Amino acid sequence: MKIADKNGKMLRYGMLVPLALMIASVVSSCLSYSNAKTSIANDLNDAMIALVHENSELWTRQDTITALRKMHEATRKPLIYQASDLNFRNSVLKDQAYFTLALVDEKRTAPKLQGNKIASDSIMLVPERAVDGVAIQVQGFADCSMVSVFAASDQTLPSVLFALSILSMAGMFLLPRKVIGLPIALQETELPEMAGIPLHSTEHILDGIKLTPMQRRFARMLLEAPDMRVDKATLCSALWDNKSNAEESLYTLVRRTKTALAETDIEIICNRGESYELRVSG
């Protein structure tokens, strides 16, 4: 398997971490948003109950019912009670919340309000002397936009998860490739197999061996070549630029390099006079 394939697979699996963190951030953000809406609705419920306890006798009087009936016949809209004087846990609701009083009976239903609103539960107030099934429906509403609900929600955990996903994604691309696997120079090539020699030790295999600059250059050409084998023409061209006596010079260089490597585990093999090969044993 090529090194690039291995690193590509590691990168794909590694991307699962920032992806999972991003999904967790979105899910937790939606949950926080939903909890904020529920909290606003509960705040409306508590304020509505307090308001009804304070005004139930006034709102169930016959003159109030008569006024509500006339208003309904004229406007088809409920009576709106502003809630700026009520106490809310979320102080922003003082400017955004209100309550409706609607007359309902067997023939009438509470008018529906249009728009993006958060609604509380409703309370039905039945007058003591009501003979026609008339009741007063009280319900709270808050004109909260998505932005205001989002601002009221606790986004600490989603923000932390989002930051971690960005940092982990950046780390996948910014950290040196050698932290993931191997140096960049080896990413796109398939390294030759060497019996008994760890891959990371090939660049140091000639360390400590006494060689002339030309001998070391020759040995490194073999070491870095595919299968550690190079044909004579390539060696002559690279080492002597195909001079007239290049083959004789190559023969002398090979012989002297063999002598220098005689006491090591490295051997130079001549393949039918066409190429030279480096073999490492031990």
Side-chain angles (χ1 to χ4, degrees):
M1 179 183 291
K2 291 187 176 182
I3 303 302
D5 294 339
K6 293 181 180 179
N7 285 341
K9 182 178 292 186
M10 292 180 65
L11 183 61
R12 287 194 296 272
Y13 286 131
M15 287 300 295
L16 293 177
V17 175
L19 179 61
L21 290 171
M22 186 70 72
I23 293 175
S25 174
V26 173
V27 171
S28 60
S29 179
C30 292
L31 289 176
S32 296
Y33 181 87
S34 178
N35 291 337
K37 289 187 66 175
T38 302
S39 177
I40 291 174
N42 291 336
D43 207 355
L44 284 172
N45 283 332
D46 294 342
M48 178 182 63
I49 292 173
L51 186 64
V52 168
H53 284 167
E54 182 180 348
N55 298 279
S56 59
E57 293 184 4
L58 173 64
W59 291 345
T60 55
R61 288 166 46 178
Q62 288 300 317
D63 55 346
T64 303
I65 294 175
T66 301
L68 288 175
R69 181 177 286 113
K70 290 181 179 180
M71 178 177 293
H72 175 79
E73 292 173 352
T75 65
R76 301 293 176 180
K77 294 181 180 180
L79 176 66
I80 295 179
Y81 183 93
Q82 296 295 334
S84 58
D85 58 338
L86 295 179
N87 292 323
F88 293 95
R89 289 187 296 272
N90 187 346
S91 59
V92 177
L93 291 179
K94 283 183 174 293
D95 299 325
Q96 297 176 335
Y98 56 90
F99 296 88
T100 61
L101 281 71
L103 188 66
V104 296
D105 56 21
E106 295 178 354
K107 298 180 180 180
R108 301 181 182 88
T109 58
K112 293 183 179 180
L113 300 180
Q114 303 296 324
N116 183 24
K117 306 176 188 300
I118 298 177
S120 70
D121 299 330
S122 60
I123 294 179
M124 304 296 292
L125 300 178
V126 180
E128 293 183 0
R129 298 180 181 179
V131 294
D132 52 356
V134 173
I136 306 297
Q137 177 178 303
V138 183
Q139 190 171 13
F141 296 90
D143 289 325
C144 296
S145 63
M146 291 183 63
V147 175
S148 61
V149 176
F150 186 84
S153 63
D154 184 5
Q155 296 295 322
T156 303
L157 179 59
S159 300
V160 171
L161 292 173
F162 180 78
L164 289 176
S165 69
I166 296 300
L167 289 175
S168 59
M169 187 178 300
M172 294 297 298
F173 293 100
L174 298 182
L175 288 179
R177 286 291 188 88
K178 61 183 178 181
V179 174
I180 300 176
L182 292 171
I184 295 176
L186 303 180
Q187 295 291 324
E188 303 298 333
T189 60
E190 187 174 3
L191 296 178
E193 296 183 0
M194 295 177 291
I197 301 298
L199 291 178
H200 63 271
S201 65
T202 56
E203 59 185 70
H204 305 295
I205 199 170
L206 299 177
D207 291 354
I209 302 176
K210 188 176 181 180
L211 297 171
T212 66
M214 183 64 78
Q215 291 171 352
R216 188 171 297 276
R217 183 180 177 189
F218 165 64
R220 185 161 292 281
M221 284 186 65
L222 298 179
L223 183 64
E224 296 176 352
D227 299 327
M228 293 192 288
R229 178 183 300 179
V230 182
D231 61 85
K232 290 173 58 177
T234 301
L235 291 169
C236 291
S237 175
L239 296 174
W240 293 282
D241 198 19
N242 286 325
K243 292 183 179 179
S244 58
N245 62 341
E247 289 194 12
E248 294 180 5
S249 299
L250 177 60
Y251 175 78
T252 302
L253 177 62
V254 171
R255 177 171 53 82
R256 292 178 177 176
T257 305
K258 282 184 176 183
T259 302
L261 300 175
E263 301 299 326
T264 69
D265 295 329
I266 305 173
E267 182 180 5
I268 298 176
I269 305 298
C270 179
N271 296 310
R272 299 180 181 179
E274 298 177 356
S275 64
Y276 289 97
E277 178 182 352
L278 198 67
R279 292 184 183 177
V280 182
S281 59

